[in-house]
Amino acid sequence: MAIVTVDFDGTLYKGDSFKIMFQIAKKEYTSKEWIPVIGGLGKAGISGIINGKNAFKKEFFKAFAKGFRGKTKQEMDTFFEKLVDLGKTEVHTELIDRIKEHQSNGDTIILLSGALQPFLEAFVKEVDLMDIHIISTTLTYYPNGVCTGELGNIVNGEGKVTEVKKWIMRAKKEGHISNEELNEIWAYADSETDIPLFQLADYPVVVNPTPAMKQVAVNNAWPLF
């Protein structure tokens, strides 16, 4: 049995989930809901100048999530269903077929992404992917089911490696898999931030790479999908 990790943005989904989330928000966020988002832009800009593009996106993502504060679980589900409907034309259908091949071989599939968990849950339901484990960025809720507007740990870069290792350890402890069953790790992903995950995997596969990432794949003899 293999553990197969699949990235979302740029991989299973050819587009950028943050961009379509922004498109929906422009239509649905009220002026009040935009206030904390705009307020976080300054912090995101400073972080981007100091630490680069990914740092900017991370901080802006946190600020953007504050617009969800006060929304019920039902309102959030409706929001993410609209996201899926808007972005479903960007689904990587060939990769979905490959995932189903892995499943027919008895492999365990983990959708591993920095995208928001409720979006990924709605997405896998829409594309009819069954028995998929999801490790991704979570939103937090008050006990009454209302969103706090705060994010859990953002799953990205080295964090993906950490989360996969934690998942494997937990699965072994709970008796879901054994050392004999877990004989290889696959990783399907697209970007430079996924290099730590590719280095962990026995079978790294680079999907939809940029020219720079394609060269990294060639240098490391990683196959392209």
Side-chain angles (χ1 to χ4, degrees):
M1 182 188 79
I3 299 293
V4 180
T5 69
V6 183
D7 177 48
F8 186 69
D9 283 322
T11 305
L12 186 57
Y13 175 67
K14 296 179 183 179
D16 185 329
S17 63
F18 186 80
K19 287 182 179 179
I20 61 168
M21 194 159 58
F22 196 78
Q23 289 178 41
I24 295 291
K26 283 194 296 185
K27 297 178 181 178
E28 302 205 358
Y29 271 23
T30 64
S31 298
K32 183 179 179 180
E33 288 168 340
W34 275 112
I35 291 173
V37 179
I38 294 171
L41 275 175
K43 182 178 179 181
I46 293 171
S47 181
I49 292 170
I50 297 172
N51 300 306
K53 179 181 177 181
N54 286 328
F56 169 81
K57 187 173 181 179
K58 182 177 180 179
E59 290 301 325
F60 187 66
F61 197 25
K62 289 181 180 178
F64 183 86
K66 294 186 184 300
F68 295 136
R69 184 183 295 149
K71 293 186 181 294
T72 65
K73 181 70 166 54
Q74 184 176 0
E75 288 173 324
M76 295 300 297
D77 288 344
T78 299
F79 180 89
F80 289 110
E81 286 168 4
K82 290 179 180 178
L83 253 67
V84 170
D85 188 60
L86 182 63
K88 61 186 178 183
T89 58
E90 295 292 322
V91 175
H92 196 318
T93 55
E94 294 87 353
L95 185 54
I96 287 180
D97 291 340
R98 176 67 68 88
I99 289 170
K100 290 180 178 179
E101 286 179 21
H102 277 289
Q103 289 180 315
S104 68
N105 292 331
D107 298 335
T108 297
I109 311 298
I110 300 175
L111 187 53
L112 181 65
S113 171
L116 289 174
Q117 181 121 359
F119 178 36
L120 300 185
E121 290 171 350
F123 179 87
V124 297
K125 183 178 180 181
E126 174 66 26
V127 300
D128 197 30
L129 278 175
M130 308 296 290
D131 299 321
I132 300 289
H133 300 275
I134 299 175
I135 300 176
S136 62
T137 303
T138 56
L139 286 165
T140 62
Y141 290 84
Y142 294 113
N144 64 357
V146 172
C147 186
T148 67
E150 301 294 328
L151 297 176
N153 182 44
I154 297 177
V155 181
N156 195 27
E158 291 280 359
K160 288 188 175 183
V161 174
T162 300
E163 292 298 325
V164 168
K165 288 180 177 179
K166 284 167 56 178
W167 187 93
I168 292 173
M169 287 181 62
R170 186 166 59 249
K172 287 181 178 179
K173 185 177 180 180
E174 295 173 355
H176 300 308
I177 58 174
S178 66
N179 288 328
E180 291 75 20
E181 290 174 320
L182 178 57
N183 52 29
E184 59 192 33
I185 297 174
W186 290 66
Y188 291 88
D190 71 302
S191 72
E192 289 90 337
T193 59
D194 295 303
I195 289 175
L197 182 63
F198 286 138
Q199 293 171 334
L200 171 72
D202 301 290
Y203 295 95
V205 183
V206 182
V207 184
N208 296 333
T210 62
M213 189 60 205
K214 185 174 182 179
Q215 187 59 53
V216 172
V218 170
N219 292 345
N220 287 276
W222 293 336
L224 302 177
F225 185 86

